[in-house]
Amino acid sequence: MLLVPSSTSRICCVVAKNHSKLFLKPTRRLSTPSGSGHEECDVVIVGGGPAGLALASALGSSQVVRENLRVALVEGGDLSKLRDWSPKSGAFSNRVSSLTNASQAFLQGVGAWDFVDAERTAPIEEMQVWDGISDARINFVAEDLGLTSEDGMARLTENFNLQRALLRHLNTFPQVELIDKTRVQTIVRDADDRGGWPLVQLDNGRTLRTRLLVGADGFNSPVRSYAQIPSFGWSYDTQAIVATLIHEPRGAFQSPNTTAYQRFLPTGPIAFLPLSATSSSLVWSTKPGLASALLASDPSVLAGLINAAFRLPEISLRYLHNRILQGHASGQVLTPAEIREEIFWREQSHSIDAHSAYSSSHAVAAIDAQGEQADAIEGKRFNNAGIPPEDAELFPPLVTSLLPGTVASFPLRFNHTETYIGEGSGSRTVLVGDAAHTVHPLAGQGLNLGLADVECLAKCIENALQQGGDIGSYTALMPYAQERYLKNHTVMSAIDKLHKIYTSTAEPVVWARSVGVEVLNELDTVKAALMLTAGAKQNQYNRNGASGEQQRPDAAMWEAAAKGVESVVAANNTVKVLGRGLAGMVGMGLYNLLKESGYAPPSTPSATSTNDRHANGSSNDSNGSVPPDSTQPRK
Amino acid sequence: MSLRRLYSTVNNAEIAHFSKLSAHWWDEHGEFAFLHKMNPARVQFIQQKLKEIHHDDHPGTPAPSNSLKGLDALDIGCGGGLLSESLARLGANTLGIDASESNISIASHHASHDPKLSRSLEYQHTTSESLLDHPKRYDIVCSMEVLEHVNNPALFLDTCAQLVKPGGHLFLSTIARTPLSDFLTIFLAEHVLRKVTVGTHTHSKFINSTELVSFFQKYPRSKPKTESGSSSGELSTSPSDTDTVPWISPHSPANEPMRTQAEIRGLIYNPLQANWYLAPRGAWAAAECNYLFWVRKPLV
Ligand SMILES: Cc1cc2nc3c(=O)[nH]c(=O)nc-3n(C[C@H](O)[C@H](O)[C@H](O)COP(=O)(O)OP(=O)(O)OC[C@H]3O[C@@H](n4cnc5c(N)ncnc54)[C@H](O)[C@@H]3O)c2cc1C
């Protein structure tokens, strides 16, 4: 990013002795470095993603902002396409976010939520989360958290649905200028003797001089480079495959499709997020090599592997994935028939009954048969007629196909900037959303963090305005960074540590997981982390709230979760030591304890055992983890 | 006008000191960081008071969302223009004055960056005494962190008071002369943390809130004689005129003046958030160090 001080036109600062006034002419600038005129703005938001649009919306909805500030948003893409987005009902986009109740409450307070097409959103009423190796499982329901099942723990919403709503909401505030199909080309700093305000040069020739420049411009934030804000992070060596899954509706004897499923595999978690009776969203985080092999596969092969990924023991999944990788490498891609055969054999080898919920090979067969023979093969179970297998609800509905055009993948990374506010030569800048932080999607928090940023920043701008402050000043923006930085960091580290624990292949950790030692701790943490996605409906966001000191209800819960994660890491280290020296007395004691409680010894990882003992979150006794009520929102 | 008059309440050594520092005024991380952080609390206090008085004066009518809009405001000792800019942004026709020429340069220069300020903000290099030569009086007169630096506080207060329109408001902020303030502002801030240049404050010049209240309980009085102003910082007052209404009823306790006449509010520093807050009304010991003072000029 260029940092060019513009040609200096010295301001004459005539100090009149005694009485004569010092004049303060509006020294309108006639030239910029490129020689064209510029426009004065108060807030320029770069980026029309969900975070940028939500900020524009929140600012537009504030009367004091509308009366005092000129706000403009610049987006490279075509926003009219989003505004006119009119998908067929039942055809869901592949970018879906679970919006917490806190995020919804914020959007409601702003007035944007009314524009969301509610028909296309779905509440998560229940969550099933389990460990891919030990099968230790927790499940929790909205009612347990004091939430109604209608509200659910979070609401799955297509990003487009949200963005369209924000744009429609913004239609009611013509004061907020939307400049789309226009990219920010360069950002330069105005001359020092003109205050060094940012000059935003657009590719349509316009230049905006702005009091405050907001970077809502995503991971590769140009605003962040202009502000020279360093960030730290790493790539996870993981791709997230997303797709819209098509499946049969749950049968009459089953609950509706409102349960989210997530299985933690050593290669990364795979999540099934319900959108409607027959559609759900997939987020499958896995190694890049496998991801590209999966993406190159026939969609029905991928569908079969998705079903298997939720059901088959980890050891067999590893085998299947190797087959896929080999096929991909050798150019001999597995056919749907071959994969069905493979899955069938794996099920056989684990003595999985074809009619149990653990079996998916029949569904694969049905998919493969593309309908012709499907009824003949396994019609009965497939149509969900009659009584489903007893354990049917341990797993998501069987996927029959993938909505064409929805399979995509994204690299996953952890990234957090060192600060959110630009200083020195990058002053009058602030970052929100993915421009400031990116997280692993395993807890569905990325966008929620961004919306919390936006909520806080909008309030901060409003407060500064009411106090006659300069909204671009560090003093005015500081409360934003103070409120958000640590909270985001806490959530992000918790998510990152969870990811690391689950994808660890280090012997002691895997051993510990296979025998369920850590799982006692971990799952509590997962539970806490995922419950946080719920937020709390009771503490409604109050837009006209007096002081702005009100905590977002999930903040306290995140702190609890972070503590839980810390204790897992501590426990993890203990386990490592124990794993190495089981001969030690303590080790033996633990070993015997484990044996007594029916866990398999470390030599024979219990890949096939379902650990019912942990069902329904019975593991909340473990040291230092989160007791169930501490995850309740605090007043 | 004579130079003697112009500088009569201004300590020359102090002017030189601040001129040296004025280049740092707008560095939000620099020496004046505390002023930047304090400013929102000051404005908050001003707005709260104006709203409250509006409510008293016009019961039943809703107070305007911005109580400063359209008022004539004077900021005495505006420094780099922190408060002046805020008042102007909130729509007050603001005049900022300072006895330091370089402060005025800094302030006007800074304001010229901001296209929003040109309409409502003006600076003058002058003193409050000089303004008395002009008929213009102000709805609100502010003087923040100035009182503890002037040579003759009684004369200074008298000048400020005279510049207020009847029914108008005087806002001051200063530091109390207490063991706590000695410790915090001189020992800690100047010597230990070195947040403020050594020599910025002189403890004997600090003024307690009760002293301000007593002053306005005996004010207005017969014209103070400039020559006799003592340099010790004591608020000596001459005998009151019998026919004038004092700004604060003489009978109210000095630590608790009548709400409609005057108010003292502490400014509390929260070291965890590195920020200043307006202490709740009547908070115990809140005015032991930095405090805000408001007094209203009687309508008649
Ligand atoms: C697989 C996956 C699943 C996810 N699931 C969830 C979930 O369940 N819940 C959740 O909360 N979050 C989730 N997230 C995260 C969420 O999608 C992101 O956090 C969110 O999209 C970030 O929004 P943003 O507005 O900050 O940035 P972006 O959406 O990246 O928007 C940035 C915008 O800036 C524009 N831009 C950039 N540079 C310029 C320029 N020079 N000029 C003009 N415009 C520019 C771009 O065009 C873009 O529109 C998920 C992410 C992934 C990858």
Side-chain angles (χ1 to χ4, degrees):
Chain A
M1 199 57 49
L2 277 163
L3 267 170
V4 189
S6 63
S7 56
T8 56
S9 62
R10 257 200 72 72
I11 304 295
C12 23
C13 213
V14 180
V15 178
K17 299 271 173 183
N18 298 338
H19 307 267
S20 54
K21 282 180 197 171
L22 181 120
F23 51 86
L24 257 178
K25 284 236 179 76
T27 42
R28 257 202 164 264
R29 219 182 138 64
L30 296 173
S31 67
T32 57
S34 57
S36 56
H38 70 244
E39 302 157 58
E40 299 283 357
C41 289
D42 292 297
V43 184
V44 171
I45 303 165
V46 182
L53 289 175
L55 180 63
S57 234
L59 291 177
S61 72
S62 155
Q63 192 183 338
V64 58
V65 171
R66 280 201 308 275
E67 285 172 359
N68 290 285
L69 300 181
R70 181 175 167 201
V71 180
L73 180 146
V74 185
E75 163 59 44
D78 185 352
L79 292 176
S80 64
K81 275 192 190 147
L82 269 175
R83 200 179 289 114
D84 303 334
W85 181 63
S86 50
K88 274 191 276 167
S89 74
F92 290 89
S93 143
N94 59 4
R95 287 307 302 274
V96 174
S97 297
S98 68
L99 296 180
T100 63
N101 287 328
S103 293
Q104 289 171 55
F106 157 60
L107 294 165
Q108 260 154 13
V110 158
W113 188 257
D114 297 340
F115 295 89
V116 169
D117 180 356
E119 296 286 305
R120 299 186 66 88
T121 69
I124 301 178
E125 290 173 20
E126 189 177 339
M127 286 191 202
Q128 298 252 10
V129 181
W130 68 105
D131 182 46
I133 293 181
S134 68
D135 270 0
R137 181 184 284 261
I138 47 172
N139 125 356
F140 34 96
V141 275
E143 278 102 332
D144 292 352
L145 304 173
L147 301 161
T148 67
S149 59
E150 277 149 70
D151 291 332
M153 292 180 269
R155 191 161 279 270
L156 288 169
T157 311
E158 295 156 285
N159 288 3
F160 287 163
N161 193 2
L162 173 60
Q163 283 175 280
R164 183 180 61 181
L166 291 165
L167 284 166
R168 288 180 175 175
H169 181 235
L170 279 164
N171 270 348
T172 59
F173 304 115
Q175 297 91 338
V176 177
E177 188 188 2
L178 300 179
I179 308 169
D180 68 341
K181 289 177 277 185
T182 307
R183 292 193 67 77
V184 169
Q185 216 157 39
T186 41
I187 307 168
V188 299
R189 188 177 144 86
D190 202 356
D192 277 345
D193 66 1
R194 299 189 28 81
W197 290 23
L199 291 171
V200 185
Q201 300 176 333
L202 311 182
D203 66 0
N204 63 4
R206 286 172 72 178
T207 298
L208 312 175
R209 178 178 185 263
T210 187
R211 180 186 301 276
L212 174 62
L213 177 61
V214 183
D217 40 3
F219 175 69
N220 288 312
S221 166
V223 172
R224 190 178 64 212
S225 348
Y226 164 72
Q228 293 181 295
I229 296 178
S231 65
F232 63 95
W234 48 82
S235 163
Y236 277 122
D237 187 31
T238 300
Q239 289 279 127
I241 301 174
V242 297
T244 303
L245 309 173
I246 308 295
H247 49 78
E248 294 290 302
R250 293 273 196 191
F253 289 89
Q254 292 176 278
S255 45
N257 186 32
T258 49
T259 303
Y261 294 87
Q262 180 148 270
R263 186 182 188 193
F264 281 89
L265 295 166
T267 41
I270 180 168
F272 176 101
L273 307 162
L275 287 168
S276 75
T278 54
S279 293
S280 297
S281 189
L282 170 82
V283 183
W284 184 358
S285 310
T286 194
K287 296 287 160 217
L290 181 59
S292 29
L294 289 170
L295 288 170
S297 306
D298 184 293
S300 68
V301 170
L302 181 52
L305 286 166
I306 291 165
N307 286 329
F310 281 106
R311 290 168 176 79
L312 272 186
E314 199 271 330
I315 197 163
S316 288
L317 286 179
R318 228 181 305 156
Y319 170 82
L320 282 178
H321 295 166
N322 280 334
R323 289 281 289 116
I324 293 282
L325 282 169
Q326 282 160 6
H328 185 61
S330 64
Q332 296 190 310
V333 218
L334 265 74
T335 64
E338 280 167 336
I339 202 73
R340 181 193 60 200
E341 195 82 337
E342 288 288 5
I343 293 172
F344 178 75
W345 282 111
R346 300 315 296 178
E347 287 175 357
Q348 294 266 297
S349 73
H350 294 293
S351 325
I352 293 172
D353 180 82
H355 293 278
S356 111
Y358 286 86
S359 165
S360 64
S361 57
H362 290 73
V364 176
I367 295 162
D368 189 27
Q370 295 292 345
E372 313 145 25
Q373 300 161 29
D375 294 332
I377 295 170
E378 197 52 49
K380 200 168 147 223
R381 208 183 99 208
F382 225 89
N383 292 334
N384 286 312
I387 298 180
E390 199 184 351
D391 38 11
E393 291 189 32
L394 287 179
F395 302 105
L398 285 163
V399 175
T400 53
S401 65
L402 308 177
L403 189 67
T406 63
V407 184
S409 83
F410 303 88
L412 297 183
R413 48 169 78 89
F414 178 99
N415 206 69
H416 202 184
T417 55
E418 279 179 14
T419 170
Y420 295 166
I421 308 174
E423 289 174 48
S425 61
S427 59
R428 298 188 175 273
T429 52
V430 65
L431 304 177
V432 293
D434 276 23
H437 43 70
T438 44
V439 284
H440 195 289
L442 72 84
Q445 285 302 305
L447 180 54
N448 289 301
L449 296 182
L451 290 175
D453 291 350
V454 161
E455 173 178 9
C456 178
L457 179 61
K459 227 183 272 168
C460 193
I461 289 174
E462 217 174 357
N463 283 346
L465 265 184
Q466 272 154 354
Q467 294 174 345
D470 174 354
I471 58 147
S473 68
Y474 183 83
T475 308
L477 298 170
M478 186 186 58
Y480 161 67
Q482 255 172 358
E483 185 176 329
R484 292 305 308 158
Y485 195 89
L486 215 63
K487 277 185 197 166
N488 284 341
H489 200 77
T490 309
V491 176
M492 292 171 71
S493 330
I495 294 171
D496 177 56
K497 281 174 185 162
L498 275 176
H499 170 80
K500 292 218 165 99
I501 288 165
Y502 278 100
T503 52
S504 173
T505 45
E507 264 315 296
V509 183
V510 172
W511 166 76
R513 288 177 51 194
S514 71
V515 297
V517 171
E518 256 180 291
V519 167
L520 286 172
N521 290 325
E522 280 173 49
L523 285 188
D524 255 2
T525 315
V526 178
K527 179 169 180 170
L530 293 179
M531 286 208 303
L532 305 178
T533 63
K537 204 72 181 180
Q538 301 96 302
N539 289 11
Q540 268 280 3
Y541 169 79
N542 178 3
R543 191 156 168 71
N544 304 314
S547 57
E549 272 152 42
Q550 198 179 6
Q551 261 208 341
R552 275 171 73 101
D554 46 359
M557 300 200 279
W558 272 113
E559 269 154 43
K563 254 195 214 133
V565 171
E566 292 299 342
S567 73
V568 172
V569 173
N572 192 20
N573 289 333
T574 318
V575 166
K576 269 184 205 161
V577 176
L578 293 178
R580 275 188 228 115
L582 268 183
M585 284 293 286
V586 186
M588 279 316 281
L590 181 68
Y591 181 69
N592 289 334
L593 202 79
L594 292 172
K595 242 169 89 176
E596 255 168 55
S597 54
Y599 291 99
S603 47
T604 55
S606 60
T608 54
S609 77
T610 302
N611 206 329
D612 291 334
R613 243 166 291 271
H614 299 306
N616 292 313
S618 62
S619 53
N620 52 36
D621 52 357
S622 36
N623 50 350
S625 12
V626 194
D629 34 357
S630 72
T631 55
Q632 291 292 337
R634 285 188 207 142
K635 280 276 146 77
Chain B
M1 184 203 2
S2 71
L3 254 174
R4 193 195 54 78
R5 171 87 188 269
L6 175 64
Y7 287 104
S8 55
T9 63
V10 177
N11 175 324
N12 282 314
E14 298 233 12
I15 294 177
H17 178 68
F18 271 109
S19 296
K20 210 172 69 194
L21 296 177
S22 55
H24 302 306
W25 257 102
W26 286 97
D27 177 4
E28 292 173 84
H29 302 287
E31 175 157 341
F32 291 100
F34 77 101
L35 284 184
H36 286 270
K37 286 174 182 164
M38 218 183 236
N39 198 48
R42 295 165 169 173
V43 178
Q44 194 190 345
F45 180 64
I46 295 172
Q47 284 186 305
Q48 273 182 14
K49 267 340 278 192
L50 293 181
K51 227 167 237 173
E52 198 182 307
I53 295 303
H54 175 96
H55 198 78
D56 289 345
D57 288 357
H58 316 274
T61 60
S65 62
N66 178 3
S67 41
L68 275 150
K69 207 171 191 114
L71 298 188
D72 289 327
L74 172 65
D75 182 10
I76 300 174
C78 62
L82 251 171
L83 179 69
S84 298
E85 286 198 6
S86 294
L87 297 175
R89 267 195 204 97
L90 290 167
N93 305 310
T94 307
L95 172 65
I97 63 167
D98 205 289
S100 151
E101 189 175 335
S102 80
N103 275 355
I104 289 296
S105 317
I106 292 270
S108 356
H109 179 67
H110 187 267
S112 73
H113 305 155
D114 191 332
K116 282 245 162 72
L117 293 173
S118 51
R119 263 169 286 128
S120 48
L121 179 59
E122 217 175 85
Y123 288 113
Q124 276 184 41
H125 170 216
T126 186
T127 64
S128 45
E129 288 87 342
S130 318
L131 291 184
L132 288 177
D133 297 343
H134 299 264
K136 172 136 185 162
R137 296 296 176 261
Y138 299 85
D139 296 298
I140 63 169
V141 172
C142 306
S143 187
M144 301 298 180
E145 313 296 320
V146 171
L147 194 53
E148 67 271 24
H149 300 287
V150 301
N151 274 340
N152 186 338
L155 177 59
F156 179 74
L157 288 175
D158 178 52
T159 310
C160 292
Q162 287 190 56
L163 288 164
V164 181
K165 282 182 193 171
H169 310 263
L170 174 61
F171 289 94
L172 301 168
S173 82
T174 189
I175 308 175
R177 190 176 63 255
T178 61
L180 181 68
S181 70
D182 188 25
F183 176 72
L184 290 179
T185 62
I186 299 185
F187 181 69
L188 264 185
E190 291 187 14
H191 293 272
V192 179
L193 302 173
R194 304 216 171 258
K195 284 200 164 172
V196 177
T197 303
V198 175
T200 300
H201 294 113
T202 316
H203 192 246
S204 62
K205 284 190 175 182
F206 290 0
I207 289 161
N208 291 339
S209 58
T210 49
E211 294 170 314
L212 282 177
V213 173
S214 327
F215 178 90
F216 284 101
Q217 284 179 326
K218 295 177 205 137
Y219 189 87
R221 53 198 171 354
S222 51
K223 279 261 170 233
K225 293 176 206 69
T226 33
E227 301 78 33
S228 68
S230 77
S231 57
S232 69
E234 248 176 67
L235 300 180
S236 56
T237 46
S238 330
S240 300
D241 281 351
T242 41
D243 54 343
T244 47
V245 194
W247 285 30
I248 301 175
S249 326
H251 310 296
S252 54
N255 58 352
E256 219 187 316
M258 266 175 69
R259 181 188 65 80
T260 52
Q261 296 181 336
E263 187 171 330
I264 302 147
R265 288 283 282 278
L267 276 171
I268 300 174
Y269 186 72
N270 177 339
L272 285 181
Q273 298 194 303
N275 216 351
W276 289 88
Y277 292 91
L278 199 55
R281 194 171 269 171
W284 181 79
E288 285 294 283
C289 195
N290 295 77
Y291 66 93
L292 287 154
F293 175 80
W294 162 81
V295 64
R296 190 177 187 196
K297 186 171 193 159
L299 272 159
V300 280

